[in-house]
Amino acid sequence: MDASLLQQVPHRRFNPLTRDWVLVSPHRTKRPWLGKVEKPATTDLPAYDPTCYLCPGNERADGARNPKYNSTFAFDNDFAALLPGTPAFEGDEGGLLVARSEQGICRVMCFSPRHDLTIPRMSLAEIGEVISLWTAEFRRLGELDWVRHVQIFENRGALMGASNPHPHCQIWANASMPDMPVKELRSFRDYREAKKSCLLCDYLRLELQRGERVICENDGFAVVIPFWAVWPFETLLMSKRHFASMEQFAAGESGLLADILRRITIRYDNLFETSFPYSMGFHQRPTDGQAYPEWHFHAHFLPPLLRSATVQKFMVGYEMLGNPQRDITPESAAKRLREVAEIHYLDRV
Ligand code: H2U
Ligand code: ZN
């Protein structure tokens, strides 16, 4: 493949995980911007906010009271999108009006008692606490006989629709597998059948050889801007070892995940010197009790910012109707993320 053509000529790139395409228009980066400018994220938050429904000891919107927790804390979402006791029903009128009831459990999980402490500013030990609760929640929910998929995800920042700046994530456990993991599973499976190896093991090896899209790595994990990234600074976090979910961490791997999460989120914050908004989530094996040797543990970071703390990318027009498109290439975005430091800008002396 001609690397210089990829930086000059409009082209499409293929996502082997989802089998979607992205249109890349590198010649278009000099386009002027007269559009929407966002407010920069607030950075001067208090350590405790008496009006916050996630802070320790405070009352939540439905009247429940949080314990005075001093590490992490998870609870059932008071406004859950899915409910465990949903009665079963199914309807199909000629394949045109099709519906099925969906059972589920939605959890909310606070990362820290501190209202202002985001992952990039936490210690490795504190992130370790978050990872061990993620692992415990994944195991507990996944072991329920009707739960086939557990999605851990974080919406960070008002730009991503997070309802509260207190660092937290959500966990949704479903009776059905959602669309995105279904697509990935199909790709993992077909690739394994055709090549007798793993799609992400092979992809990671290729990226580590090339280096041009790698942002950071340690002995357990690596973060790259995938060749097929849609969002300007989208990244893919992959384990170096082939395993399928958090409860299969080998010795030291949880600490290495804490390290890599801290480093990539510090780089994100440093890029525009802002609390960098994103949606992120882990893609782990389905939890229906079957073995999934084809699944490779990974996480996606999907940040909306484009060129500064106040200009975001919009997925509109052709992207809603055709397929996603980007101007800045994954390679030049990776270069920018590689160039920023791994010391948080607020901790700089
Ligand atoms: P987001 O910031 O990603 O929206 O997550 C916050 C969740 O917290 C949201 O799903 C729930 C909302 O339903 N919530 C409670 O469970 N209790 C509350 O008192 C307020 C918000
Ligand atoms: Zn709070």
Side-chain angles (χ1 to χ4, degrees):
M1 205 173 322
D2 186 330
S4 76
L5 277 182
L6 292 178
Q7 304 308 315
Q8 296 165 39
V9 176
H11 60 279
R12 302 171 88 208
R13 295 191 187 191
F14 178 66
N15 180 341
L17 271 176
T18 60
R19 303 176 189 188
D20 296 322
W21 291 85
V22 55
L23 182 62
V24 186
S25 315
H27 60 293
R28 201 160 166 257
T29 41
K30 287 175 191 73
R31 184 164 72 107
W33 181 258
L34 297 172
K36 189 161 188 260
V37 171
E38 305 292 337
K39 274 210 251 34
T42 348
T43 46
D44 50 348
L45 292 171
Y48 168 76
D49 178 348
T51 68
C52 167
Y53 59 76
L54 296 179
C55 274
N58 288 3
E59 192 176 305
R60 295 209 299 275
D62 75 335
R65 190 168 287 278
N66 298 326
K68 292 206 164 116
Y69 64 97
N70 50 31
S71 166
T72 52
F73 167 55
F75 59 94
D76 284 342
N77 196 316
D78 302 311
F79 307 95
L82 293 158
L83 301 166
T86 305
F89 73 81
E90 208 170 327
D92 184 339
E93 292 182 31
L96 295 173
L97 308 178
V98 180
R100 274 177 217 156
S101 62
E102 183 62 22
Q103 235 193 325
I105 296 175
C106 295
R107 307 271 291 160
V108 180
M109 175 179 147
C110 305
F111 293 161
S112 157
R114 286 255 314 262
H115 186 76
D116 60 339
L117 198 62
T118 54
I119 286 183
R121 311 215 59 216
M122 289 170 95
S123 68
L124 288 179
E126 287 165 331
I127 303 173
E129 296 284 318
V130 173
I131 295 171
S132 64
L133 187 52
W134 280 339
T135 310
E137 290 280 321
F138 180 82
R139 178 180 290 126
R140 186 182 68 80
L141 293 164
E143 277 172 0
L144 298 174
D145 57 0
W146 55 270
V147 170
R148 294 194 182 78
H149 185 261
V150 177
Q151 183 62 57
I152 300 173
F153 65 98
E154 177 189 7
N155 291 323
R156 184 174 165 203
L159 210 54
M160 290 315 290
S163 56
N164 184 325
H166 193 119
H168 66 281
C169 72
Q170 297 195 44
I171 305 171
W172 292 20
N174 277 57
S176 315
M177 235 176 115
D179 291 347
M180 192 93 69
V182 164
K183 286 186 180 180
E184 292 189 348
L185 180 61
R186 201 173 295 145
S187 303
F188 278 133
R189 204 164 263 178
D190 291 354
Y191 191 93
R192 186 177 151 101
E193 219 137 84
K195 310 223 181 186
K196 310 287 171 241
S197 68
C198 162
L199 195 163
L200 282 187
C201 284
D202 287 359
Y203 176 62
L204 179 58
R205 194 172 315 115
L206 195 70
E207 288 294 9
L208 292 176
Q209 271 164 16
R210 301 271 167 104
E212 59 180 338
R213 283 172 295 271
V214 179
I215 310 302
C216 50
E217 62 173 308
N218 59 26
D219 287 345
F221 300 89
V223 180
V224 307
I225 297 208
F227 183 73
W228 53 84
V230 164
W231 294 94
F233 295 96
E234 170 178 341
T235 57
L236 177 63
L237 184 163
M238 290 166 278
S239 59
K240 288 193 170 173
R241 195 171 63 80
H242 183 85
F243 64 92
S245 58
M246 289 180 174
E247 75 313 356
Q248 296 165 352
F249 283 149
E253 262 167 355
S254 157
L256 290 167
L257 180 62
D259 172 71
I260 210 76
L261 286 174
R262 191 161 178 273
R263 288 165 58 191
I264 183 59
T265 54
I266 287 177
R267 284 179 182 275
Y268 273 148
D269 277 13
N270 283 349
L271 188 64
F272 300 132
E273 301 207 339
T274 191
S275 182
F276 200 77
Y278 56 69
S279 274
M280 76 80 68
F282 294 97
H283 275 161
Q284 312 192 70
R285 64 160 173 85
T287 58
D288 58 358
Q290 316 265 59
Y292 286 94
E294 66 273 57
W295 195 273
H296 190 120
F297 179 84
H298 65 281
H300 302 275
F301 281 86
L302 309 166
L305 291 182
L306 174 59
R307 58 179 80 196
S308 71
T310 53
V311 176
Q312 78 164 105
K313 174 182 172 59
F314 288 96
M315 284 281 193
V316 294
Y318 193 79
E319 299 166 310
M320 286 180 140
L321 295 156
N323 59 241
Q325 181 270 343
R326 61 180 294 143
D327 297 346
I328 168 178
T329 62
E331 295 71 34
S332 56
K335 185 164 176 290
R336 293 191 56 192
L337 267 181
R338 259 198 315 273
E339 277 167 2
V340 295
E342 284 189 354
I343 294 171
H344 197 276
Y345 71 96
L346 294 173
D347 295 329
R348 233 180 264 148
V349 279

